[in-house]
Amino acid sequence: MGRKTVGMAKQDRVLIFDTTLRDGEQAPGASMNQREKLEVALALERLGVDIIEAGFPVISKGDFESVRMVAQKVRSAVVAGLARAVKKDIDAAAEALKPAQRPRIHVFLATSKIHLEHKLKKTPDEIVQMAVDAVTYARRKTDDVEFSPEDASRSDKTFLYRVLEAVIKAGARTVNIPDTVGYAMPEPYGKLIADIRANVPNINKAVISVHCHNDLGLAVANSLAAVKNGARQVECTINGIGERAGNAAMEELVMALRTRGDYFGAVTTINTPEICRVSRLVSKYTGFAVAPNKAIVGGNAFRHESGIHQDGVLKEPTTYEIMRPEDVGFIGVGLVMGKHSGRAGLKSRLKQLGIELAQEELGRAFERFKDLCDKKKEVFDEDLVAIAQDEVQEVKDVWALESLVVTSGTHIKPDVAVRLRSAGKVHEKKATGDGPVDACYVAIDELTGCRGKLLHYAIQSVTQGQDAMGEVRVCVSFNGQKVIGIGASTDVIEASVKAYLNAVNKACAAAMAKKQKSPGIDFGLQL
Ligand code: KIV
Ligand code: ZN
């Protein structure tokens, strides 16, 4: 049927519960700082999500503060905080959510035999009592309480019905059915939702939610099967990030519901043209690149390589496109700018791509763009995004790359000379290492006094072709504090250095902010 949604008499609303900041952030290696979390939360609100799960307040002081900050700033969406079924957790969630306009406490407790016997060491009766007590206690703090029987998809159905009936009676307004370990298959999972509707007597007093993990690559399929069977809230994350193989990807769920409204008869209120922008933001802050073939938000999602397809799309887009690129905010098509384009042209193109730069940042981005036009035959939207992201000053740069000389080869030890500028002065260091990138990082550590431990390094080309820019993402630990750095250049060693320096500058900014708060403390970064 393609782009239009047809043939529906009545469409039900499916609520979008985003857990990028909680389950998404549990993805190994994905840690965002408070400012980044707040920015993502505000972007999610603009995207139109119904509920933002901002974190798990009892877990750490940082998580507590992040939830509180999001609760303070987000006005239209519900803000949820996660809690185990114990008072301490519920108290922490309630406290962090105090400033929220629309707070929700999300309580979870496992119900599967495996979890009861091996993890919780509780009897079924004890679990029912704990769940009821927790929901009752949470309802004293707020009207909006969600209950999740963890590992629901592997739980005994009759026991699950019993728990759900009891928590709804105790005041849970949403009951979530997690496929915690990504074990479910679409048909039986859909049937589980139908069976819950048929067997839990008071189920019409609560919204049925689903929360699917992607261990077998079925998180989105399972969530959609649940919607088909009456689930009216889906829990998901941007780009599908999350614990292990991740959670159901929001962009895929939303666009499936929209594109196949004829099949589902259900709608969301997501402002879909914002999708790619939020996807880029989450990718940038988590350091997780989006695969080119990723549905909806991947760089190739709307590209047609085959001549037959190109011909078809030119004649009539619906021949090979079931969604319009602009419906998800995907603008990156074709050659957009060249060396004759001016600063105003760059500014306006970046604005179309959802990026607004400050005057100084735009100046630097424009210089880089002109340089790139000399080095590359064609400059694409992706190049502009990479340059702009590189030049956005999230923090004031303490250290900037002045120049770089690298000698490397098959049978010689790499040798580098790195020059950095800081506070108007240029400092130089020569170093060797296991490879040219390692040698540069050794030199930077020496120059800055920051001892970074490289946890993760990834490089990908921003566009295709031999002259493409390389984008490097690093995750570096400074005294146990994980920081993500990103850098782009047509020279991959330079991109690697920029990414590392980006991480160093963020670590310096964090250390300085802490030092201002508590001047006596030495955070081990010699600035
Ligand atoms: O996967 C899961 O079961 C969860 C619950 C806390 C909802 O994340
Ligand atoms: Zn989960």
Side-chain angles (χ1 to χ4, degrees), residues 408-430:
S408 171
T410 328
H411 300 299
I412 55 168
K413 201 160 169 68
D415 215 343
V416 300
V418 179
R419 284 177 155 217
L420 300 183
R421 179 178 289 278
S422 183
K425 284 198 193 132
V426 174
H427 309 258
E428 181 178 308
K429 193 82 205 167
K430 294 192 165 123

Side-chain angles (χ1 to χ4, degrees), residues 260-276:
R260 295 306 310 271
D262 59 323
Y263 178 71
F264 290 104
V267 291
T268 73
T269 54
I270 294 298
N271 178 16
T272 62
E274 284 288 313
I275 284 178
C276 282

Side-chain angles (χ1 to χ4, degrees), residues 68 76 112 225 237 310-311 386 416 445 447:
R68 189 154 61 184
S76 57
S112 68
T237 59
Q310 286 173 355
D311 179 54
V416 300
D445 279 356
L447 284 168

